[in-house]
Amino acid sequence: EPAHYALYGAFAGLPAAWLLRRAAEASWARAAAALAFLCLGFHPRSGIENVLTVVTSASRARAERAAEMKPIPLGGGALVPAVQAEDLAALKSAFDRVMGPGDTFFDFSNEPALYFLLDRRMPVPFLGPEFYESEGAQRRVIALCERERPLVAIARAGNGLDAIDGVANEIRAPIVAGYLKEKYRPFAVVGGREVLIRADRRAR
């Protein structure tokens, strides 16, 4: 009866879901063995075949993903898609060519993680344009940038982060956008990011 199948699914599905979650935390061997035991308790033959298929497919998929992944700067060994890792490496290389160890940049592209990944300090205490929408906050950002005078600025990310909720960063923080246009000039496009360099400073 359908009702019996629903009850069966509840008793079998909940433990299976728990075991699959544990697979992300424990070794695949232990998780696969536990899932196999669970399946064998209900359907000995089909259960083991299904488990072997799932484990084999997962292992193959992980191997294929690993071949396409690369580490990122200061990522602690974390792997990301190769294209993303190469973009970050190219951006770091471009920054290192024009900035000294103590210099930093200003990010207007809503990518605050770049400060960590590129090993540069934040010149302002705001993670992104959505945190300084008010006129007062924008004036503070400009004042801090004038004090710090970052040699480089990222104007646009070249992706959805430029308008994370449908509102463009230039519209969200127009005073800061105008400041960047006044004080900076185009420098490079790296991985789709529009990078600016301060007009009144020379690269080292």
Side-chain angles (χ1 to χ4, degrees), residues 126-171:
F126 301 101
L127 295 178
E130 67 270 24
F131 293 94
Y132 49 83
E133 292 187 42
S134 69
E135 179 178 349
Q138 290 185 65
R139 298 293 183 191
R140 184 184 178 196
V141 167
I142 292 173
L144 291 171
C145 283
E146 277 300 283
R147 185 180 71 182
E148 181 71 30
R149 299 171 73 82
L151 177 62
V152 173
I154 302 178
R156 295 180 60 82
N159 54 41
L161 294 175
D162 293 316
I164 194 168
D165 58 357
V167 179
N169 293 334
E170 294 89 345
I171 296 176

Side-chain angles (χ1 to χ4, degrees), residues 74-153:
L74 298 180
L79 298 176
V80 300
V83 172
Q84 184 179 355
E86 290 165 2
D87 287 347
L88 287 171
L91 189 64
K92 185 177 188 305
S93 178
F95 282 11
D96 289 347
R97 284 198 304 270
V98 298
M99 288 194 288
D103 295 330
T104 191
F105 66 98
F106 174 68
D107 173 54
F108 192 62
S109 66
N110 215 13
E111 299 178 282
L114 289 177
Y115 291 113
F116 169 75
L117 295 174
L118 303 179
D119 197 19
R120 303 283 177 174
R121 68 185 185 284
M122 293 178 63
V124 298
F126 301 101
L127 295 178
E130 67 270 24
F131 293 94
Y132 49 83
E133 292 187 42
S134 69
E135 179 178 349
Q138 290 185 65
R139 298 293 183 191
R140 184 184 178 196
V141 167
I142 292 173
L144 291 171
C145 283
E146 277 300 283
R147 185 180 71 182
E148 181 71 30
R149 299 171 73 82
L151 177 62
V152 173

